[in-house]
Amino acid sequence: MSRSRPLWKHVAAFALLILVIQRIGFRVLGDGPAGSLFIDIFAITANILAIACSFSASNRGRGVSRAFWILFASAITLQLLGDVGWAYCRYFHVPILEAALFPSLFYRLY
């Protein structure tokens, strides 16, 4: 039994759905603390979903494909750490200098 692969239409529809949900949430909640918290949680959830899908793809792949998906998952994990750092700083109103290494360091590494 062969595994089904998503069509480009499915991927495009999913990406469009993510953008629509994000824009609706931003319009409803505004750019205040509730809106930025929603966007941060949404980004963190999307990162976790991407990591889970990458590890699932690495389990199905062999050789170079498996290595690619593991490296991709590790890069998204660094982005997840950066997003969690930014969400923490915004939610608790921690001032961030422009030259700060954290959490932008994680964006530079991935």
Side-chain angles (χ1 to χ4, degrees):
M1 181 187 217
S2 67
R3 297 181 193 260
S4 64
R5 301 180 119 197
L7 298 174
W8 69 271
K9 292 179 184 179
H10 294 134
V11 174
F14 182 72
L16 183 64
L17 178 69
I18 294 291
L19 288 173
V20 167
I21 290 172
Q22 187 179 21
R23 296 299 175 215
I24 289 172
F26 195 67
R27 287 206 186 268
V28 170
L29 297 172
D31 58 351
S36 62
L37 183 64
F38 172 77
I39 297 297
D40 290 338
I41 289 173
F42 197 70
I44 290 169
T45 305
N47 283 340
I48 291 172
L49 180 64
I51 292 167
C53 290
S54 297
F55 279 128
S56 173
S58 73
N59 285 336
R60 288 191 312 250
R62 299 284 178 251
V64 176
S65 175
R66 175 174 275 181
F68 168 78
W69 286 113
I70 290 174
L71 288 174
F72 185 75
S74 65
I76 297 297
T77 302
L78 289 175
Q79 182 178 0
L80 174 67
L81 291 174
D83 284 344
V84 168
W86 280 115
Y88 176 84
C89 292
R90 276 196 286 226
Y91 185 74
F92 291 109
H93 303 291
V94 176
I96 303 170
L97 298 175
E98 288 185 23
L101 290 177
F102 178 82
S104 62
L105 172 68
F106 295 111
Y107 285 101
R108 292 180 188 149
L109 288 178
Y110 95 92

